[in-house]
């Protein structure tokens, strides 16, 4: 089987959806996961967000029995100070290294489930990277269609606006999954219990941590959660599972607004096949639970 070369950059302990995306990616035979890169998620709840992401990745790898077989390279602990200064890290260096191995027949896909800090840093450290066959898939930014998505700047963008501007200005291939799309990948507690509740320690942990996150941080009554990071995995497994429209690359204001930008072409996901995404993920988690439960 041909495999797609992939790096997953994840603020894994920020919420409760990265975990599902990471597991889905690692359980997918068509994806050659070259590395996982733990990312920071600001300082709203902790001063060691990147380290907490690393700890969550390590926990998931233990549950999957992959602790000794998947490369993990720490990303930046903070956002970029400006659009000209990289925050060097093993994660950024690994992106550069893997980009040099990419070819037109075997491109590198780098999925960002949080801020774009490590991609921007890699570009600033090695500007030639943007000329290599690398695709950046980013879960982030507001929608383009004017729907009411709630107040405030989109979270992943808010954690490094400078980095988003570096990446979107660079001309590198970008597939963006904005907030009005990723929030529609919702699952309820009842569905999770039915689909993966008996899928061994892995399934039980995924459900437990999602319920605990909602109980701790969600202000309203709720019995569901959006698995908003999972479209990145679906698009790498089957790019046609998303409707991608070519748009000119914007820039981002400090408030998250879209501003005139470089006009390099990017692809914006306007819809994703949620049925394919969830059923494929649940089936793989159930199969893992049967084999290792």
């Amino acid at each position: 089987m041909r495999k797609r070369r992939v790096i997953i950059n994840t603020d894994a302990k920020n919420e409760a959806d990265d975990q599902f995306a990471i597991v889905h990616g690692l359980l997918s035979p068509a994806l050659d996961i070259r590395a996982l890169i733990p990312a920071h998620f600001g300082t709203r709840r902790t001063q060691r967000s990147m380290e907490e992401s690393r700890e969550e990745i390590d926990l998931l790898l233990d549950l999957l029995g992959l602790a000794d077989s998947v490369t993990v390279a720490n990303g930046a602990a903070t956002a970029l100070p400006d659009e000209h200064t990289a925050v060097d890290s093993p994660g950024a260096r690994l992106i550069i290294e893997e980009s040099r191995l990419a070819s037109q027949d075997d491109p590198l896909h780098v999925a960002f489930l949080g801020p774009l800090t490590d991609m921007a840093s890699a570009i600033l450290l090695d500007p030639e990277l943007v000329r290599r066959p690398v695709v950046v898939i980013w879960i982030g930014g507001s929608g383009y269609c004017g729907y009411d998505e709630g107040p405030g700047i989109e979270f992943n963008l808010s954690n490094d606006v400078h980095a988003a501007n570096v990446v979107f200005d660079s001309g590198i291939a970008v597939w963006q999954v904005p907030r009005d799309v990723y929030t529609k990948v919702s699952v309820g507690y009842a569905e999770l219990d039915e689909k993966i509740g008996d899928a061994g320690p892995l399934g039980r942990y995924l459900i437990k941590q999602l319920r605990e996150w909602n109980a701790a941080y969600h202000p309203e009554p709720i019995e569901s959660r959006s698995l908003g990071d999972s479209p990145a995995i679906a698009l790498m497994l089957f790019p046609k599972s998303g409707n991608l429209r070519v748009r000119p690359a914007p820039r981002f204001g400090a408030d998250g607004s879209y501003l005139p930008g470089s006009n390099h072409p990017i692809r914006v996901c306007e819809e994703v096949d949620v049925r394919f995404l969830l059923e494929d993920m649940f089936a793989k988690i159930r199969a893992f639970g049967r084999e290792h439960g």
Side-chain angles (χ1 to χ4, degrees):
M1 175 188 290
R2 287 196 62 187
K3 294 182 177 243
R4 182 165 283 119
R5 289 158 37 82
V6 169
I7 293 172
I8 299 176
N9 186 289
T10 166
D11 55 346
K13 195 57 177 176
N14 172 45
E15 294 189 27
D17 51 339
D18 290 72
Q19 291 84 344
F20 287 84
I22 293 166
V23 166
H24 192 186
L26 289 169
L27 292 179
S28 294
L31 302 184
D32 176 12
I33 307 296
R34 307 295 298 172
L36 300 174
I37 300 176
H40 73 91
F41 49 92
T43 57
R44 293 168 176 83
R45 297 199 306 271
T46 176
Q47 296 299 312
R48 52 187 304 275
S49 59
M50 186 278 291
E51 291 84 353
E52 291 185 10
S53 292
R54 172 62 189 253
E55 291 162 4
E56 188 72 357
I57 288 171
D58 290 342
L59 187 156
L60 291 171
L61 291 175
D62 282 340
L63 286 169
L64 288 162
L66 296 174
D68 298 322
S69 55
V70 176
T71 297
V72 183
N74 287 351
T78 64
L80 300 188
D82 54 54
E83 292 183 25
H84 308 287
T85 307
V87 180
D88 203 347
S89 69
R93 294 289 175 174
L94 187 143
I95 292 171
I96 294 169
E97 177 184 335
E98 288 292 332
S99 77
R100 291 173 176 160
L101 302 175
S103 67
Q104 293 297 333
D105 293 332
D106 189 19
L108 174 67
H109 290 68
V110 192
F112 285 83
L113 315 183
L116 285 164
T117 306
D118 299 315
M119 192 71 237
S121 294
I123 291 169
L124 291 169
L125 291 165
D126 181 7
E128 288 299 310
L129 191 158
V130 303
R131 296 178 177 84
R132 299 178 191 132
V134 176
V135 178
V136 176
I137 303 174
W138 182 44
I139 305 291
S142 297
Y144 291 79
C145 298
Y147 298 119
D148 181 10
E149 303 176 54
I153 183 172
E154 190 273 331
F155 186 83
N156 288 344
L157 174 61
S158 75
N159 282 323
D160 202 337
V161 175
H162 292 318
N165 282 328
V166 169
V167 174
F168 275 60
D169 278 353
S170 71
I172 201 166
V174 172
W175 299 357
Q176 180 189 5
V177 184
R179 180 166 58 183
D180 62 338
V181 175
Y182 73 66
T183 53
K184 303 306 184 291
V185 188
S186 296
V187 293
Y189 294 166
E191 181 181 12
L192 287 170
D193 289 340
E194 180 70 18
K195 293 295 180 65
I196 62 170
D198 60 353
L202 175 64
R204 289 194 293 273
Y205 175 72
L206 290 172
I207 295 172
K208 173 177 175 287
Q209 60 88 33
L210 184 147
R211 285 177 173 264
E212 288 177 348
W213 197 95
N214 274 359
Y217 297 110
H218 203 284
E220 301 170 358
I222 192 169
E223 55 179 84
S224 65
R225 180 120 201 107
S226 174
L227 302 185
D229 290 318
S230 289
I233 306 304
L235 289 172
M236 292 189 293
L237 285 171
F238 183 42
K240 291 183 180 179
S241 69
N243 288 336
L244 298 171
R245 186 186 298 274
V246 176
R247 285 181 172 269
R251 283 180 58 82
F252 299 91
D255 61 353
S257 59
Y258 289 112
L259 304 173
S262 66
N263 290 330
H264 292 298
I266 65 167
R267 296 188 175 195
V268 176
C269 184
E270 297 184 343
E271 184 180 28
V272 67
D273 186 344
V274 177
R275 189 217 62 82
F276 162 71
L277 186 166
L278 293 179
E279 289 296 339
D280 187 70
M281 178 180 65
F282 289 150
K284 287 169 177 171
I285 294 171
R286 286 197 304 272
F288 179 85
R290 286 194 299 272
E291 294 169 11
H292 302 88

PDB file of all heavy atoms in Angstrom, residues 190-221:
ATOM      1  N   ALA A 190     -24.028   9.777  23.850  1.00  0.00           N
ATOM      2  CA  ALA A 190     -24.698   8.501  23.568  1.00  0.00           C
ATOM      3  C   ALA A 190     -24.042   7.800  22.379  1.00  0.00           C
ATOM      4  O   ALA A 190     -23.838   6.573  22.395  1.00  0.00           O
ATOM      5  CB  ALA A 190     -26.178   8.735  23.304  1.00  0.00           C
ATOM      6  N   GLU A 191     -23.714   8.569  21.333  1.00  0.00           N
ATOM      7  CA  GLU A 191     -23.055   7.984  20.172  1.00  0.00           C
ATOM      8  C   GLU A 191     -21.682   7.440  20.537  1.00  0.00           C
ATOM      9  O   GLU A 191     -21.307   6.331  20.127  1.00  0.00           O
ATOM     10  CB  GLU A 191     -22.933   9.015  19.059  1.00  0.00           C
ATOM     11  CG  GLU A 191     -22.264   8.477  17.801  1.00  0.00           C
ATOM     12  CD  GLU A 191     -22.124   9.514  16.693  1.00  0.00           C
ATOM     13  OE1 GLU A 191     -22.340  10.717  16.958  1.00  0.00           O
ATOM     14  OE2 GLU A 191     -21.781   9.110  15.573  1.00  0.00           O
ATOM     15  N   LEU A 192     -20.920   8.193  21.316  1.00  0.00           N
ATOM     16  CA  LEU A 192     -19.593   7.731  21.716  1.00  0.00           C
ATOM     17  C   LEU A 192     -19.686   6.438  22.530  1.00  0.00           C
ATOM     18  O   LEU A 192     -18.915   5.501  22.304  1.00  0.00           O
ATOM     19  CB  LEU A 192     -18.882   8.810  22.529  1.00  0.00           C
ATOM     20  CG  LEU A 192     -18.380  10.023  21.751  1.00  0.00           C
ATOM     21  CD1 LEU A 192     -17.916  11.110  22.717  1.00  0.00           C
ATOM     22  CD2 LEU A 192     -17.250   9.637  20.808  1.00  0.00           C
ATOM     23  N   ASP A 193     -20.614   6.404  23.482  1.00  0.00           N
ATOM     24  CA  ASP A 193     -20.776   5.190  24.288  1.00  0.00           C
ATOM     25  C   ASP A 193     -21.130   3.993  23.409  1.00  0.00           C
ATOM     26  O   ASP A 193     -20.626   2.876  23.610  1.00  0.00           O
ATOM     27  CB  ASP A 193     -21.855   5.403  25.350  1.00  0.00           C
ATOM     28  CG  ASP A 193     -21.418   6.354  26.445  1.00  0.00           C
ATOM     29  OD1 ASP A 193     -20.202   6.567  26.611  1.00  0.00           O
ATOM     30  OD2 ASP A 193     -22.305   6.901  27.145  1.00  0.00           O
ATOM     31  N   GLU A 194     -22.015   4.218  22.429  1.00  0.00           N
ATOM     32  CA  GLU A 194     -22.467   3.142  21.558  1.00  0.00           C
ATOM     33  C   GLU A 194     -21.354   2.671  20.621  1.00  0.00           C
ATOM     34  O   GLU A 194     -21.178   1.477  20.393  1.00  0.00           O
ATOM     35  CB  GLU A 194     -23.669   3.619  20.731  1.00  0.00           C
ATOM     36  CG  GLU A 194     -24.250   2.585  19.781  1.00  0.00           C
ATOM     37  CD  GLU A 194     -24.959   1.451  20.503  1.00  0.00           C
ATOM     38  OE1 GLU A 194     -25.307   1.615  21.686  1.00  0.00           O
ATOM     39  OE2 GLU A 194     -25.151   0.392  19.878  1.00  0.00           O
ATOM     40  N   LYS A 195     -20.586   3.622  20.078  1.00  0.00           N
ATOM     41  CA  LYS A 195     -19.618   3.278  19.043  1.00  0.00           C
ATOM     42  C   LYS A 195     -18.285   2.783  19.608  1.00  0.00           C
ATOM     43  O   LYS A 195     -17.676   1.870  19.046  1.00  0.00           O
ATOM     44  CB  LYS A 195     -19.373   4.498  18.141  1.00  0.00           C
ATOM     45  CG  LYS A 195     -20.582   4.906  17.301  1.00  0.00           C
ATOM     46  CD  LYS A 195     -20.946   3.847  16.288  1.00  0.00           C
ATOM     47  CE  LYS A 195     -22.141   4.219  15.442  1.00  0.00           C
ATOM     48  NZ  LYS A 195     -21.922   5.384  14.573  1.00  0.00           N
ATOM     49  N   ILE A 196     -17.786   3.398  20.677  1.00  0.00           N
ATOM     50  CA  ILE A 196     -16.444   3.016  21.154  1.00  0.00           C
ATOM     51  C   ILE A 196     -16.409   2.770  22.665  1.00  0.00           C
ATOM     52  O   ILE A 196     -15.329   2.607  23.232  1.00  0.00           O
ATOM     53  CB  ILE A 196     -15.381   4.061  20.771  1.00  0.00           C
ATOM     54  CG1 ILE A 196     -15.669   5.428  21.407  1.00  0.00           C
ATOM     55  CG2 ILE A 196     -15.282   4.191  19.250  1.00  0.00           C
ATOM     56  CD1 ILE A 196     -14.517   6.423  21.243  1.00  0.00           C
ATOM     57  N   GLY A 197     -17.562   2.709  23.308  1.00  0.00           N
ATOM     58  CA  GLY A 197     -17.586   2.502  24.755  1.00  0.00           C
ATOM     59  C   GLY A 197     -17.016   1.169  25.183  1.00  0.00           C
ATOM     60  O   GLY A 197     -16.530   1.027  26.318  1.00  0.00           O
ATOM     61  N   ASP A 198     -17.057   0.172  24.289  1.00  0.00           N
ATOM     62  CA  ASP A 198     -16.523  -1.148  24.631  1.00  0.00           C
ATOM     63  C   ASP A 198     -15.205  -1.414  23.916  1.00  0.00           C
ATOM     64  O   ASP A 198     -14.787  -2.565  23.775  1.00  0.00           O
ATOM     65  CB  ASP A 198     -17.535  -2.236  24.289  1.00  0.00           C
ATOM     66  CG  ASP A 198     -17.909  -2.262  22.808  1.00  0.00           C
ATOM     67  OD1 ASP A 198     -17.479  -1.336  22.071  1.00  0.00           O
ATOM     68  OD2 ASP A 198     -18.616  -3.199  22.384  1.00  0.00           O
ATOM     69  N   ALA A 199     -14.520  -0.346  23.473  1.00  0.00           N
ATOM     70  CA  ALA A 199     -13.285  -0.495  22.702  1.00  0.00           C
ATOM     71  C   ALA A 199     -12.056  -0.454  23.600  1.00  0.00           C
ATOM     72  O   ALA A 199     -11.040   0.164  23.275  1.00  0.00           O
ATOM     73  CB  ALA A 199     -13.198   0.579  21.627  1.00  0.00           C
ATOM     74  N   GLY A 200     -12.140  -1.113  24.750  1.00  0.00           N
ATOM     75  CA  GLY A 200     -10.992  -1.273  25.617  1.00  0.00           C
ATOM     76  C   GLY A 200     -10.550   0.011  26.290  1.00  0.00           C
ATOM     77  O   GLY A 200     -11.252   1.029  26.271  1.00  0.00           O
ATOM     78  N   PRO A 201      -9.356  -0.002  26.889  1.00  0.00           N
ATOM     79  CA  PRO A 201      -8.859   1.175  27.600  1.00  0.00           C
ATOM     80  C   PRO A 201      -8.761   2.415  26.715  1.00  0.00           C
ATOM     81  O   PRO A 201      -8.982   3.531  27.184  1.00  0.00           O
ATOM     82  CB  PRO A 201      -7.472   0.726  28.088  1.00  0.00           C
ATOM     83  CG  PRO A 201      -7.558  -0.758  28.175  1.00  0.00           C
ATOM     84  CD  PRO A 201      -8.459  -1.174  27.057  1.00  0.00           C
ATOM     85  N   LEU A 202      -8.424   2.238  25.446  1.00  0.00           N
ATOM     86  CA  LEU A 202      -8.317   3.395  24.550  1.00  0.00           C
ATOM     87  C   LEU A 202      -9.663   4.069  24.372  1.00  0.00           C
ATOM     88  O   LEU A 202      -9.789   5.294  24.546  1.00  0.00           O
ATOM     89  CB  LEU A 202      -7.765   2.960  23.194  1.00  0.00           C
ATOM     90  CG  LEU A 202      -7.702   4.054  22.121  1.00  0.00           C
ATOM     91  CD1 LEU A 202      -6.737   5.156  22.530  1.00  0.00           C
ATOM     92  CD2 LEU A 202      -7.327   3.466  20.766  1.00  0.00           C
ATOM     93  N   GLY A 203     -10.692   3.323  24.023  1.00  0.00           N
ATOM     94  CA  GLY A 203     -12.013   3.903  23.839  1.00  0.00           C
ATOM     95  C   GLY A 203     -12.529   4.545  25.110  1.00  0.00           C
ATOM     96  O   GLY A 203     -13.098   5.646  25.076  1.00  0.00           O
ATOM     97  N   ARG A 204     -12.333   3.861  26.234  1.00  0.00           N
ATOM     98  CA  ARG A 204     -12.813   4.412  27.504  1.00  0.00           C
ATOM     99  C   ARG A 204     -12.104   5.724  27.834  1.00  0.00           C
ATOM    100  O   ARG A 204     -12.733   6.677  28.331  1.00  0.00           O
ATOM    101  CB  ARG A 204     -12.621   3.385  28.626  1.00  0.00           C
ATOM    102  CG  ARG A 204     -13.570   2.194  28.514  1.00  0.00           C
ATOM    103  CD  ARG A 204     -13.591   1.375  29.791  1.00  0.00           C
ATOM    104  NE  ARG A 204     -12.316   0.712  30.051  1.00  0.00           N
ATOM    105  CZ  ARG A 204     -11.983  -0.489  29.573  1.00  0.00           C
ATOM    106  NH1 ARG A 204     -12.818  -1.147  28.780  1.00  0.00           N
ATOM    107  NH2 ARG A 204     -10.816  -1.040  29.875  1.00  0.00           N
ATOM    108  N   TYR A 205     -10.801   5.785  27.559  1.00  0.00           N
ATOM    109  CA  TYR A 205     -10.080   7.029  27.868  1.00  0.00           C
ATOM    110  C   TYR A 205     -10.565   8.172  26.993  1.00  0.00           C
ATOM    111  O   TYR A 205     -10.748   9.300  27.481  1.00  0.00           O
ATOM    112  CB  TYR A 205      -8.575   6.846  27.691  1.00  0.00           C
ATOM    113  CG  TYR A 205      -7.850   8.166  27.889  1.00  0.00           C
ATOM    114  CD1 TYR A 205      -7.732   8.723  29.165  1.00  0.00           C
ATOM    115  CD2 TYR A 205      -7.353   8.896  26.816  1.00  0.00           C
ATOM    116  CE1 TYR A 205      -7.127   9.952  29.360  1.00  0.00           C
ATOM    117  CE2 TYR A 205      -6.741  10.131  27.006  1.00  0.00           C
ATOM    118  CZ  TYR A 205      -6.635  10.653  28.277  1.00  0.00           C
ATOM    119  OH  TYR A 205      -6.045  11.879  28.472  1.00  0.00           O
ATOM    120  N   LEU A 206     -10.742   7.917  25.707  1.00  0.00           N
ATOM    121  CA  LEU A 206     -11.185   8.985  24.812  1.00  0.00           C
ATOM    122  C   LEU A 206     -12.518   9.576  25.276  1.00  0.00           C
ATOM    123  O   LEU A 206     -12.702  10.800  25.278  1.00  0.00           O
ATOM    124  CB  LEU A 206     -11.302   8.453  23.382  1.00  0.00           C
ATOM    125  CG  LEU A 206      -9.974   8.113  22.689  1.00  0.00           C
ATOM    126  CD1 LEU A 206     -10.242   7.405  21.364  1.00  0.00           C
ATOM    127  CD2 LEU A 206      -9.141   9.362  22.468  1.00  0.00           C
ATOM    128  N   ILE A 207     -13.441   8.719  25.680  1.00  0.00           N
ATOM    129  CA  ILE A 207     -14.740   9.202  26.152  1.00  0.00           C
ATOM    130  C   ILE A 207     -14.589   9.928  27.485  1.00  0.00           C
ATOM    131  O   ILE A 207     -15.152  11.009  27.690  1.00  0.00           O
ATOM    132  CB  ILE A 207     -15.733   8.028  26.281  1.00  0.00           C
ATOM    133  CG1 ILE A 207     -16.020   7.418  24.909  1.00  0.00           C
ATOM    134  CG2 ILE A 207     -17.025   8.501  26.948  1.00  0.00           C
ATOM    135  CD1 ILE A 207     -16.831   6.147  24.966  1.00  0.00           C
ATOM    136  N   LYS A 208     -13.829   9.356  28.389  1.00  0.00           N
ATOM    137  CA  LYS A 208     -13.663   9.935  29.726  1.00  0.00           C
ATOM    138  C   LYS A 208     -13.080  11.339  29.649  1.00  0.00           C
ATOM    139  O   LYS A 208     -13.585  12.275  30.287  1.00  0.00           O
ATOM    140  CB  LYS A 208     -12.779   9.023  30.560  1.00  0.00           C
ATOM    141  CG  LYS A 208     -12.376   9.554  31.934  1.00  0.00           C
ATOM    142  CD  LYS A 208     -11.552   8.509  32.679  1.00  0.00           C
ATOM    143  CE  LYS A 208     -11.014   9.037  34.007  1.00  0.00           C
ATOM    144  NZ  LYS A 208      -9.904  10.017  33.810  1.00  0.00           N
ATOM    145  N   GLN A 209     -12.009  11.505  28.881  1.00  0.00           N
ATOM    146  CA  GLN A 209     -11.355  12.819  28.853  1.00  0.00           C
ATOM    147  C   GLN A 209     -12.245  13.860  28.175  1.00  0.00           C
ATOM    148  O   GLN A 209     -12.205  15.037  28.537  1.00  0.00           O
ATOM    149  CB  GLN A 209      -9.971  12.726  28.214  1.00  0.00           C
ATOM    150  CG  GLN A 209      -9.927  12.231  26.780  1.00  0.00           C
ATOM    151  CD  GLN A 209     -10.080  13.329  25.751  1.00  0.00           C
ATOM    152  OE1 GLN A 209      -9.634  14.459  25.977  1.00  0.00           O
ATOM    153  NE2 GLN A 209     -10.695  13.015  24.622  1.00  0.00           N
ATOM    154  N   LEU A 210     -13.070  13.433  27.215  1.00  0.00           N
ATOM    155  CA  LEU A 210     -13.986  14.379  26.582  1.00  0.00           C
ATOM    156  C   LEU A 210     -15.061  14.842  27.563  1.00  0.00           C
ATOM    157  O   LEU A 210     -15.340  16.045  27.679  1.00  0.00           O
ATOM    158  CB  LEU A 210     -14.619  13.723  25.350  1.00  0.00           C
ATOM    159  CG  LEU A 210     -15.540  14.593  24.501  1.00  0.00           C
ATOM    160  CD1 LEU A 210     -15.433  14.199  23.024  1.00  0.00           C
ATOM    161  CD2 LEU A 210     -16.996  14.477  24.939  1.00  0.00           C
ATOM    162  N   ARG A 211     -15.649  13.905  28.294  1.00  0.00           N
ATOM    163  CA  ARG A 211     -16.655  14.280  29.291  1.00  0.00           C
ATOM    164  C   ARG A 211     -16.049  15.178  30.369  1.00  0.00           C
ATOM    165  O   ARG A 211     -16.676  16.152  30.811  1.00  0.00           O
ATOM    166  CB  ARG A 211     -17.245  13.020  29.931  1.00  0.00           C
ATOM    167  CG  ARG A 211     -18.232  12.250  29.052  1.00  0.00           C
ATOM    168  CD  ARG A 211     -18.692  10.981  29.780  1.00  0.00           C
ATOM    169  NE  ARG A 211     -19.747  10.278  29.101  1.00  0.00           N
ATOM    170  CZ  ARG A 211     -21.044  10.405  29.372  1.00  0.00           C
ATOM    171  NH1 ARG A 211     -21.435  11.255  30.314  1.00  0.00           N
ATOM    172  NH2 ARG A 211     -21.944   9.700  28.722  1.00  0.00           N
ATOM    173  N   GLU A 212     -14.846  14.855  30.798  1.00  0.00           N
ATOM    174  CA  GLU A 212     -14.202  15.648  31.854  1.00  0.00           C
ATOM    175  C   GLU A 212     -13.905  17.067  31.371  1.00  0.00           C
ATOM    176  O   GLU A 212     -14.049  18.024  32.135  1.00  0.00           O
ATOM    177  CB  GLU A 212     -12.914  14.959  32.312  1.00  0.00           C
ATOM    178  CG  GLU A 212     -13.175  13.704  33.134  1.00  0.00           C
ATOM    179  CD  GLU A 212     -11.888  12.995  33.520  1.00  0.00           C
ATOM    180  OE1 GLU A 212     -10.811  13.344  32.952  1.00  0.00           O
ATOM    181  OE2 GLU A 212     -11.945  12.085  34.375  1.00  0.00           O
ATOM    182  N   TRP A 213     -13.485  17.205  30.112  1.00  0.00           N
ATOM    183  CA  TRP A 213     -13.212  18.544  29.591  1.00  0.00           C
ATOM    184  C   TRP A 213     -14.487  19.379  29.564  1.00  0.00           C
ATOM    185  O   TRP A 213     -14.494  20.527  29.999  1.00  0.00           O
ATOM    186  CB  TRP A 213     -12.600  18.472  28.185  1.00  0.00           C
ATOM    187  CG  TRP A 213     -11.938  19.758  27.804  1.00  0.00           C
ATOM    188  CD1 TRP A 213     -10.619  20.067  27.936  1.00  0.00           C
ATOM    189  CD2 TRP A 213     -12.575  20.938  27.284  1.00  0.00           C
ATOM    190  NE1 TRP A 213     -10.384  21.362  27.513  1.00  0.00           N
ATOM    191  CE2 TRP A 213     -11.563  21.917  27.105  1.00  0.00           C
ATOM    192  CE3 TRP A 213     -13.883  21.255  26.942  1.00  0.00           C
ATOM    193  CZ2 TRP A 213     -11.829  23.189  26.607  1.00  0.00           C
ATOM    194  CZ3 TRP A 213     -14.158  22.531  26.445  1.00  0.00           C
ATOM    195  CH2 TRP A 213     -13.142  23.473  26.274  1.00  0.00           C
ATOM    196  N   ASN A 214     -15.571  18.796  29.071  1.00  0.00           N
ATOM    197  CA  ASN A 214     -16.836  19.524  29.049  1.00  0.00           C
ATOM    198  C   ASN A 214     -17.257  19.939  30.448  1.00  0.00           C
ATOM    199  O   ASN A 214     -17.707  21.071  30.678  1.00  0.00           O
ATOM    200  CB  ASN A 214     -17.937  18.663  28.426  1.00  0.00           C
ATOM    201  CG  ASN A 214     -17.983  18.780  26.907  1.00  0.00           C
ATOM    202  OD1 ASN A 214     -17.207  19.515  26.300  1.00  0.00           O
ATOM    203  ND2 ASN A 214     -18.882  18.033  26.287  1.00  0.00           N
ATOM    204  N   ALA A 215     -17.126  19.021  31.405  1.00  0.00           N
ATOM    205  CA  ALA A 215     -17.552  19.319  32.774  1.00  0.00           C
ATOM    206  C   ALA A 215     -16.719  20.445  33.380  1.00  0.00           C
ATOM    207  O   ALA A 215     -17.232  21.268  34.143  1.00  0.00           O
ATOM    208  CB  ALA A 215     -17.444  18.063  33.632  1.00  0.00           C
ATOM    209  N   ALA A 216     -15.456  20.510  33.009  1.00  0.00           N
ATOM    210  CA  ALA A 216     -14.563  21.508  33.603  1.00  0.00           C
ATOM    211  C   ALA A 216     -14.674  22.871  32.933  1.00  0.00           C
ATOM    212  O   ALA A 216     -14.545  23.903  33.601  1.00  0.00           O
ATOM    213  CB  ALA A 216     -13.115  21.017  33.540  1.00  0.00           C
ATOM    214  N   TYR A 217     -14.915  22.890  31.611  1.00  0.00           N
ATOM    215  CA  TYR A 217     -14.742  24.146  30.889  1.00  0.00           C
ATOM    216  C   TYR A 217     -15.962  24.623  30.109  1.00  0.00           C
ATOM    217  O   TYR A 217     -15.969  25.758  29.639  1.00  0.00           O
ATOM    218  CB  TYR A 217     -13.567  24.025  29.907  1.00  0.00           C
ATOM    219  CG  TYR A 217     -12.247  23.773  30.601  1.00  0.00           C
ATOM    220  CD1 TYR A 217     -11.609  22.540  30.498  1.00  0.00           C
ATOM    221  CD2 TYR A 217     -11.646  24.766  31.363  1.00  0.00           C
ATOM    222  CE1 TYR A 217     -10.397  22.306  31.135  1.00  0.00           C
ATOM    223  CE2 TYR A 217     -10.437  24.536  32.004  1.00  0.00           C
ATOM    224  CZ  TYR A 217      -9.823  23.311  31.884  1.00  0.00           C
ATOM    225  OH  TYR A 217      -8.632  23.082  32.514  1.00  0.00           O
ATOM    226  N   HIS A 218     -16.969  23.787  29.941  1.00  0.00           N
ATOM    227  CA  HIS A 218     -18.115  24.229  29.141  1.00  0.00           C
ATOM    228  C   HIS A 218     -19.141  24.887  30.045  1.00  0.00           C
ATOM    229  O   HIS A 218     -19.624  24.277  31.000  1.00  0.00           O
ATOM    230  CB  HIS A 218     -18.749  23.068  28.376  1.00  0.00           C
ATOM    231  CG  HIS A 218     -19.515  23.521  27.170  1.00  0.00           C
ATOM    232  ND1 HIS A 218     -20.742  24.106  27.251  1.00  0.00           N
ATOM    233  CD2 HIS A 218     -19.183  23.509  25.856  1.00  0.00           C
ATOM    234  CE1 HIS A 218     -21.161  24.414  26.036  1.00  0.00           C
ATOM    235  NE2 HIS A 218     -20.235  24.064  25.175  1.00  0.00           N
ATOM    236  N   PRO A 219     -19.525  26.133  29.767  1.00  0.00           N
ATOM    237  CA  PRO A 219     -20.380  26.879  30.693  1.00  0.00           C
ATOM    238  C   PRO A 219     -21.859  26.531  30.618  1.00  0.00           C
ATOM    239  O   PRO A 219     -22.614  26.892  31.515  1.00  0.00           O
ATOM    240  CB  PRO A 219     -20.155  28.338  30.267  1.00  0.00           C
ATOM    241  CG  PRO A 219     -19.847  28.246  28.804  1.00  0.00           C
ATOM    242  CD  PRO A 219     -19.073  26.958  28.635  1.00  0.00           C
ATOM    243  N   GLU A 220     -22.291  25.840  29.571  1.00  0.00           N
ATOM    244  CA  GLU A 220     -23.717  25.575  29.375  1.00  0.00           C
ATOM    245  C   GLU A 220     -23.985  24.076  29.433  1.00  0.00           C
ATOM    246  O   GLU A 220     -23.074  23.270  29.254  1.00  0.00           O
ATOM    247  CB  GLU A 220     -24.165  26.127  28.018  1.00  0.00           C
ATOM    248  CG  GLU A 220     -23.949  27.625  27.851  1.00  0.00           C
ATOM    249  CD  GLU A 220     -24.181  28.070  26.421  1.00  0.00           C
ATOM    250  OE1 GLU A 220     -24.471  27.211  25.566  1.00  0.00           O
ATOM    251  OE2 GLU A 220     -24.059  29.281  26.162  1.00  0.00           O
ATOM    252  N   PRO A 221     -25.248  23.685  29.666  1.00  0.00           N
ATOM    253  CA  PRO A 221     -25.582  22.258  29.625  1.00  0.00           C
ATOM    254  C   PRO A 221     -25.236  21.675  28.256  1.00  0.00           C
ATOM    255  O   PRO A 221     -25.525  22.278  27.224  1.00  0.00           O
ATOM    256  CB  PRO A 221     -27.095  22.239  29.862  1.00  0.00           C
ATOM    257  CG  PRO A 221     -27.392  23.540  30.540  1.00  0.00           C
ATOM    258  CD  PRO A 221     -26.413  24.530  30.001  1.00  0.00           C
TER     259      PRO A 221
END
